Amino acid sequence: MYTVNRVSELAIFGNPPAFQEKLHVGRPNVGDRDRLLERINDILDRKWFSNNGNYVQEFERKISEYTGAKHCIAICNGTIALEILVRALGLTGEVIIPSFTFVATAHALQWQEITPVFCDIDPATHTLDPNQVKRLITPRTSGIIGVHVWGRPCQTEELAEIAAQYNLKLAFDASHAVGCSHNGQMIGNFGEAEVFSFHATKFLNAFEGGAVVTNNDELAAKIRLMKNFGFGPGYDNVVYVGTNGKMNEVAAAMGVTGLESIDTFIEQNYRNYKQYQTELADIDGVKLAAYNELEKNNYQYIILEIDPAIAGINRNELVQVLHAENVLARRYFYPGCHKMHPYQSYFPNAGLLLPQTEALTEKVMSLPTGTGVTPEDISKICQIICLAIKESHKVKHFLNSAV
Ligand code: T4K
């Protein structure tokens, strides 16, 4: 039980932090460690470390089975998977994406001298607002990349309609959405293709990893060539411009091992989410982003929106309090891609078209969850938040006078 009852007993006032060790957002989940080590030993014994090895093939097969999508092409990380997909789709000119995303979505385009056109989001879902997408289409627009932020799916039908109407390619950055569904259909089956990330911080990780998942045979074949230097069948047979986007065997072994525990990871994330939901329910000015429980979710992000007019303190102040207590909450996705370099200097006025993004990036934050977080941890975190808000004027006064 957490014994701090008054805000003046919080660590920002010089008391010991609630957590001895830092509690991070994005702590990796590890499946059955013995199975993983067996697999790594097997890789070492067989001396096949990369280039479409057994574990990569197994991982691809299992992700295809899990999502129901025809093809999964494993890639070394989500960013390179996005870059390869962008190229394989033949995107050029301008591509519409949300600014409210991890910067990799924008970089995957800019890296290839394609202009990311930042679009506003629907504040209820944090994903692309289809009405705003329409307003941004120009003769140079070649595609739309939606992002299923927090694993909550985009409005795929509306986006598909727009794409069809204007003859644009539609794809999704599904980095957060492994294991999620939309209208009963698993993510992995929408648009021309979807990209997963299996980075360490994702609930299903391959240390580093990514994949393109698609039902399009031709696109899949092209991506397979592109991620392997453009090598066709046989030796020394280059048939295409390619890069090195291959996943290695140890990464794939981690992915395969994690997949065996995926239901356990999701159950734990769900329990954590429900506990946060209960314990934060009565705290004024704090809104927990909700998942649609009629769909499949991975519940890997615990996202709060802080309304300073009601809570008395703003998101940054609450994050400061939590950091003092060794709870390393994060401000995903602050400040929005359009305010990061180089995009800020390329598009200095982009914010004028992004009022919802600008508002959200000032109030959103992410809390620790995953298999390493206990019910006691969650109770402590919620009590810290509760105390900080209950006596917000003292916290605010202290933080302001400390500057
Ligand atoms: N699209 C979207 C929408 C994405 O969110 C991402 C990645 C991508 C594309 C690109 O996919 P990848 O190319 O990464 O496969 C982290 C991750 O590095 C990034 O993968 C992720 N999104 C993003 C949301 O979060 P940072 O800058 O916050 O990383 P960092 O080093 O601050 O770590 C985050 C937290 O995780 C910290 O609290 C520490 C903890 N952590 C991290 C690592 C790597 C651990 O506890 N153990 C670890 O091994 O970006």
Side-chain angles (χ1 to χ4, degrees):
M1 192 59 197
Y2 191 45
T3 53
V4 173
N5 295 312
R6 289 200 313 276
V7 75
S8 56
E9 293 170 42
L10 293 178
I12 48 160
F13 292 97
N15 299 296
F19 292 90
Q20 298 281 300
E21 306 264 323
K22 291 189 189 319
L23 198 62
H24 291 268
V25 165
R27 226 45 183 151
N29 291 326
V30 181
D32 183 331
R33 187 183 287 236
D34 292 336
R35 282 297 287 135
L36 173 65
L37 294 176
E38 267 172 37
R39 286 178 167 130
I40 293 175
N41 269 325
D42 179 45
I43 292 166
L44 296 175
D45 289 343
R46 285 189 300 102
K47 300 207 179 325
W48 195 278
F49 294 174
S50 188
N51 294 12
N52 205 30
N54 285 359
Y55 287 107
V56 163
Q57 290 180 38
E58 185 179 346
F59 187 54
E60 290 181 339
R61 202 173 54 248
K62 289 188 166 158
I63 291 287
S64 280
E65 281 166 18
Y66 185 69
T67 57
K70 208 163 163 195
H71 305 279
C72 167
I73 304 109
I75 307 277
C76 53
N77 61 55
T79 307
I80 302 290
L82 277 168
E83 283 175 20
I84 293 175
L85 175 61
V86 161
R87 208 169 175 103
L89 286 173
L91 297 180
T92 55
E94 296 174 1
V95 172
I96 298 170
I97 63 167
S99 171
F100 190 72
T101 178
F102 189 61
V103 73
T105 322
H107 282 348
L109 295 162
Q110 190 66 47
W111 190 255
Q112 312 191 58
E113 298 186 352
I114 297 166
T115 305
V117 174
F118 297 118
C119 182
D120 214 358
I121 46 160
D122 176 341
T125 60
H126 301 179
T127 58
L128 273 183
D129 176 348
N131 289 323
Q132 299 302 321
V133 169
K134 268 196 203 158
R135 294 176 57 195
L136 297 173
I137 295 170
T138 73
R140 295 189 71 229
T141 310
S142 62
I144 304 167
I145 300 181
V147 182
H148 304 309
V149 178
W150 322 134
R152 300 193 305 181
C154 294
Q155 297 179 48
T156 56
E157 294 77 13
E158 289 81 352
L159 294 174
E161 248 174 57
I162 298 170
Q165 188 183 348
Y166 293 90
N167 197 22
L168 306 175
K169 303 271 193 211
L170 174 65
F172 293 98
D173 177 342
S175 291
H176 299 181
V178 176
C180 302
S181 70
H182 179 51
N183 293 333
Q185 172 95 309
M186 291 303 278
I187 297 294
N189 293 279
F190 295 92
E192 303 273 350
E194 307 205 58
V195 166
F196 289 143
S197 166
F198 303 110
H199 180 260
T201 54
K202 299 293 181 287
F203 88 109
L204 176 66
N205 81 83
F207 300 115
E208 286 267 4
V212 180
V213 180
T214 180
N215 288 308
N216 179 330
D217 298 341
E218 210 180 309
L219 185 65
K222 203 166 171 186
I223 290 169
R224 282 203 181 282
L225 286 176
M226 283 182 157
K227 68 126 190 211
N228 187 28
F229 312 102
F231 276 125
Y235 292 107
D236 313 320
N237 176 29
V238 173
V239 295
Y240 218 88
V241 176
T243 184
N244 182 355
K246 289 168 286 154
M247 178 181 274
N248 71 65
E249 283 291 274
V250 173
M254 181 68 166
V256 168
T257 308
L259 258 176
E260 288 167 352
S261 298
I262 195 164
D263 292 340
T264 318
F265 297 160
I266 293 176
E267 276 162 29
Q268 168 91 50
N269 284 346
Y270 180 64
R271 274 201 303 277
N272 293 349
Y273 166 68
K274 295 308 276 185
Q275 190 185 342
Y276 273 117
Q277 196 176 50
T278 307
E279 299 202 18
L280 295 171
D282 298 328
I283 306 182
D284 292 337
V286 173
K287 185 172 129 201
L288 175 69
Y291 293 97
N292 174 1
E293 295 193 33
L294 299 175
E295 297 284 351
K296 289 199 162 117
N297 298 291
N298 57 39
Y299 301 98
Q300 72 177 310
Y301 291 99
I302 298 293
I303 299 299
L304 301 188
E305 285 177 47
I306 310 301
D307 181 343
I310 302 174
I313 54 175
N314 62 35
R315 184 271 318 271
N316 290 351
E317 289 160 341
L318 185 55
V319 166
Q320 256 181 288
V321 170
L322 288 165
H323 278 217
E325 301 289 352
N326 274 341
V327 180
L328 299 192
R330 294 294 295 266
R331 300 183 298 178
Y332 293 137
F333 290 109
Y334 178 81
C337 294
H338 69 289
K339 284 193 171 162
M340 290 178 168
H341 287 292
Y343 307 108
Q344 190 186 30
S345 46
Y346 292 168
F347 318 111
N349 299 320
L352 295 174
L353 289 175
L354 303 169
Q356 302 297 347
T357 303
E358 297 229 319
L360 184 63
T361 52
E362 289 303 320
K363 60 182 181 184
V364 72
M365 59 186 278
S366 170
L367 292 175
T369 185
T371 50
V373 176
T374 65
E376 293 72 35
D377 294 338
I378 295 174
S379 284
K380 268 197 214 177
I381 294 169
C382 294
Q383 285 176 48
I384 294 164
I385 295 172
C386 183
L387 272 174
I389 287 178
K390 215 165 71 187
E391 296 185 52
S392 55
H393 55 287
K394 283 192 197 152
V395 170
K396 216 172 170 70
H397 179 74
F398 180 83
L399 290 175
N400 287 339
S401 57
V403 178

